[in-house]
Amino acid sequence: MVWQRPDGRKPYELRPIDFHTKFTRFAPGSVLTICGETKVLCTVSVAESVPKFLAGSGKGWLTAEYRMLPSATQQRHERELLKLSGRTQEIQRLIGRSLRAALDFEALGERTLTVDADVLQADAGTRTAAITGGFVALAEAISQLLQRGVLERSPLCGQVAAVSVGLLEQEAYLDLNYIEDVAATVDFNVVMNKNLGIIEVQGTAEEGSFSRTQLNQLLDCAETGIKQLLIAQQEAITDWDELFVGK
């Protein structure tokens, strides 16, 4: 039996991806990331300070926060106010780790970049959309800092994108929507750099197990999607050549 995708996509086909840059007024970098029916607002703000463990080091830092609006899903869920759920903490740590892989912190200087990922509408893949869109917002913020003379050179030293993959009817599928995410027997989130080096893989078998061969199929599937996402990011970033000059 072959899984029939609800939206008619082929197994290795991404959902339509779009980046609306400069989406908000005050954040140096802001991008509305649309991946199918998933919509995540990614903004980047800058503080002229660093955590205590970096004070006096000459190096900067990047941290991330992730939230989901109460109405992002069909059934309203409560806002996370005083205490974050384990899921939220895990996702924002993933976003932070992933995007830190794209930065030279000595070039950034003693500044902290905060990436805020706010899910406006969820149809699975919110964390991967937050990473992929967060990189675009990060590039836009750094471009503005360079234009204002705050930075002498771009601290961007790499490119980062992420995508979900899963096994449905024992076959690998790319960029799962909610219906597929629920039905998948194995699902993975894969983060890679511009050279398709793996930054992080999160994966589990929801039932039973999977083979090494299937793992390789899932990673091949993820590579196919991330290649496309890297190109889409480059097309969305205004000053791509200036940000990566000499790199």
Side-chain angles (χ1 to χ4, degrees):
M1 183 177 178
V2 178
W3 176 263
Q4 298 295 321
R5 307 200 79 169
D7 52 9
R9 284 182 293 145
K10 297 177 182 177
Y12 277 43
E13 187 177 352
L14 288 172
R15 290 178 286 182
I17 181 81
D18 201 3
F19 303 105
H20 295 268
T21 58
K22 299 178 176 60
F23 194 75
T24 63
R25 178 180 175 186
F26 299 113
S30 67
V31 177
L32 176 63
T33 304
I34 301 176
C35 180
E37 293 298 322
T38 289
K39 300 178 182 181
V40 183
L41 175 59
C42 303
T43 58
V44 176
S45 54
V46 184
E48 294 293 324
S49 60
V50 291
K52 289 183 179 180
F53 73 91
L54 285 171
S57 69
K59 296 180 180 180
W61 189 243
L62 179 145
T63 188
E65 294 191 9
Y66 169 97
R67 299 291 188 278
M68 187 177 289
L69 293 187
S71 58
T73 55
Q74 280 191 331
Q75 292 185 336
R76 185 186 187 278
H77 61 271
E78 296 297 319
R79 293 183 188 272
E80 296 180 40
L81 298 174
L82 299 179
K83 185 177 181 180
L84 300 182
S85 69
R87 176 183 181 274
T88 294
Q89 293 182 61
E90 179 249 325
I91 291 175
Q92 59 189 30
R93 287 171 183 159
L94 171 66
I95 297 168
R97 286 194 302 270
S98 300
L99 294 178
R100 282 195 288 272
L103 287 172
D104 174 351
F105 286 110
E106 290 187 354
L108 180 61
E110 292 197 22
R111 298 178 180 86
T112 297
L113 303 176
T114 300
V115 180
D116 286 294
D118 291 286
V119 180
L120 309 185
Q121 183 169 287
D123 187 32
T126 60
R127 73 186 69 191
T128 54
I131 293 167
T132 303
F135 177 81
V136 177
L138 180 62
E140 292 289 328
I142 289 170
S143 175
Q144 188 178 122
L145 292 175
L146 288 168
Q147 291 173 19
R148 288 164 45 197
V150 175
L151 294 175
E152 294 181 3
R153 61 187 178 93
S154 172
L156 279 177
C157 60
Q159 187 179 356
V160 173
V163 75
S164 66
V165 289
L167 287 183
L168 292 151
E169 303 297 342
Q170 299 302 306
E171 295 296 330
Y173 285 80
L174 177 67
D175 193 14
L176 309 184
N177 62 22
Y178 179 74
I179 293 173
E180 294 172 325
D181 187 56
V182 171
T185 55
V186 175
D187 63 87
F188 273 67
N189 296 299
V190 182
V191 188
M192 291 183 174
N193 63 22
K194 64 179 180 180
N195 300 316
L196 301 180
I198 295 172
I199 295 171
E200 186 152 347
V201 175
Q202 296 181 332
T204 187
E206 300 295 341
E207 55 184 64
S209 62
F210 56 96
S211 68
R212 178 65 176 272
T213 298
Q214 289 173 318
L215 172 59
N216 290 337
Q217 290 172 346
L218 288 167
L219 292 176
D220 288 344
C221 188
E223 275 194 9
T224 298
I226 286 177
K227 286 177 183 177
Q228 298 173 56
L229 292 172
L230 293 171
I231 293 170
Q233 286 175 325
Q234 292 178 27
E235 292 174 345
I237 295 169
T238 309
D239 301 314
W240 178 264
D241 292 336
E242 289 77 5
L243 290 171
F244 285 93
V245 62
K247 299 177 183 179

